Amino acid sequence: MTNQKQAMLYGLGTVLLWSTVATAFKLSLRELTPVQMLVVACSASVIVMALILVAQRRWYLVFELSHRQYLQSFGMGLINPCLYYFLLFGAFDRLPAQEAQPLNYTWALVLAYLSVPFLGQRLRRADILAGLICYSGVVVIATRGDVLSLTFSDPLGVGLAIGSTLVWASYWIIATRDTRDPVVGLFLNFLCGLPVIVVICGMTDGFDFSPTTGLFAATYVGVFEMGIAFVLWSYAMKKAENTARVSNLIFISPFLSLVFIYFILGEIILPSTYVGLVLIVAGLWIQQRKTRETMARASSA
């Protein structure tokens, strides 16, 4: 099997896992509060990433960082998992999965915009066009098709979803200066963020976790969305001979996610969701295509 085929398989595995998490979020939030879910998911993620590092014989890397890098782990842990997942789970707690999930996908566009002031990158016409298309899709979904009224179905839920994209994009901008091993860095971020989450949970909603569907769904999120999916995607990028083909797989995820949302959660998918999602994906595709063209011209120069 060629490296490219292996990369495509890793990529498809990642996309399949990403496609299930919106459903898992809602299943867990039926019985747990967002912060309770975050405690369970983050704990599961820390365990699974530790096991991955042990299995890969890279556990020693956890103890070979500088004092500054350990402080960095704590700071980044406050952003992800603490702030990011609190906002994301809060959005899913208030919005139907079919609405919260597409809104979260706009983070890639937010990353392009934030890269202008923080990384010194140029804002292209394609980025502006992609933004207009993407956020028109956001308005369609958030208003459930009643665009002219501009009345959001749940303004706070929409705000939390959009806020999570800002936090996630900011996290990856900070991560561009991160010299730690990716899996080690993510493990330490979650390990440092976990005590903060535990304290907040203890001061607010408590730890009444009964062995129900909600608990198992939160564990699933921690193991697969926060842990294994990240590792699979890293492998896909390392193996890829054509990264564009692998990256394009992410556009399958939001549509496949609607299948799980419909059959498992029983949500009736609104026409506005389809229209808005198509607009969001179209905008992201334009933005990603122009980015790849620019990189290709730069590499051939």
Side-chain angles (χ1 to χ4, degrees):
M1 186 180 295
T2 65
N3 284 341
Q4 183 63 28
K5 287 184 177 179
Q6 291 181 49
M8 294 296 286
L9 288 176
Y10 284 130
L12 285 170
T14 308
V15 166
L16 179 61
L17 292 178
W18 281 341
S19 301
T20 63
V21 293
T23 299
F25 288 169
K26 293 299 289 186
L27 288 174
S28 181
L29 289 168
R30 286 175 178 176
E31 300 171 1
L32 302 178
T33 67
V35 70
Q36 287 176 330
M37 179 182 170
L38 186 51
V39 167
V40 176
C42 187
S43 299
S45 180
V46 167
I47 293 171
V48 75
M49 283 189 285
L51 292 175
I52 289 171
L53 287 171
V54 171
Q56 294 178 336
R57 298 181 180 179
R58 292 193 295 160
W59 179 251
Y60 69 94
L61 295 175
V62 173
F63 307 98
E64 294 190 347
L65 301 180
S66 65
H67 292 297
R68 183 175 181 179
Q69 287 174 315
Y70 288 119
L71 288 174
Q72 177 188 13
S73 301
F74 180 75
M76 294 186 73
L78 293 178
I79 301 173
N80 175 40
C82 293
L83 182 57
Y84 170 65
Y85 280 105
F86 179 77
L87 293 174
L88 184 63
F89 292 168
F92 271 89
D93 192 39
R94 299 185 65 91
L95 297 173
Q98 64 179 292
E99 294 180 18
Q101 181 256 8
L103 299 184
N104 182 247
Y105 270 87
T106 61
W107 75 266
L109 187 66
V110 176
L111 178 61
Y113 289 154
L114 291 182
S115 296
V116 175
F118 294 109
L119 298 180
Q121 298 183 5
R122 295 178 58 188
L123 187 65
R124 306 159 304 166
R125 284 180 293 181
D127 295 321
I128 298 173
L129 176 61
L132 292 173
I133 296 173
C134 272
Y135 286 111
S136 65
V138 169
V139 172
V140 170
I141 292 173
T143 61
R144 297 183 180 177
D146 192 7
V147 178
L148 296 179
S149 72
L150 283 181
T151 302
F152 290 172
S153 58
D154 187 320
L156 179 56
V158 172
L160 290 171
I162 299 299
S164 72
T165 67
L166 289 168
V167 172
W168 190 238
S170 301
Y171 172 80
W172 283 110
I173 286 175
I174 296 171
T176 59
R177 297 182 175 86
D178 189 358
T179 58
R180 300 172 299 170
D181 174 271
V183 180
V184 170
L186 195 65
F187 166 74
L188 287 174
N189 293 351
F190 276 62
L191 183 64
C192 292
L194 181 58
V196 177
I197 298 167
V198 169
V199 169
I200 293 173
C201 186
M203 295 174 63
T204 55
D205 299 324
F207 303 100
D208 184 17
F209 304 140
S210 54
T212 58
T213 301
L215 181 63
F216 294 130
T219 303
Y220 175 91
V221 169
V223 171
F224 292 100
E225 197 270 346
M226 296 179 175
I228 293 176
F230 176 84
V231 177
L232 287 179
W233 189 250
S234 298
Y235 283 163
M237 291 293 101
K238 287 180 181 178
K239 291 281 187 179
E241 297 167 358
N242 184 334
T243 55
R245 288 179 59 193
V246 178
S247 297
N248 283 338
L249 293 174
I250 65 173
F251 296 119
I252 302 173
S253 182
F255 295 99
L256 184 58
S257 182
L258 290 182
V259 176
F260 292 110
I261 290 169
Y262 175 78
F263 284 104
I264 297 177
L265 296 180
E267 288 188 14
I268 303 301
I269 309 301
L270 302 175
S272 57
T273 298
Y274 291 115
V275 173
L277 183 55
V278 168
L279 288 170
I280 290 172
V281 170
L284 292 176
W285 182 81
I286 290 171
Q287 192 264 337
Q288 293 294 326
R289 183 172 69 88
K290 290 299 182 182
T291 298
R292 288 194 291 267
E293 288 178 357
T294 302
M295 293 176 65
R297 286 195 296 269
S299 61
S300 61

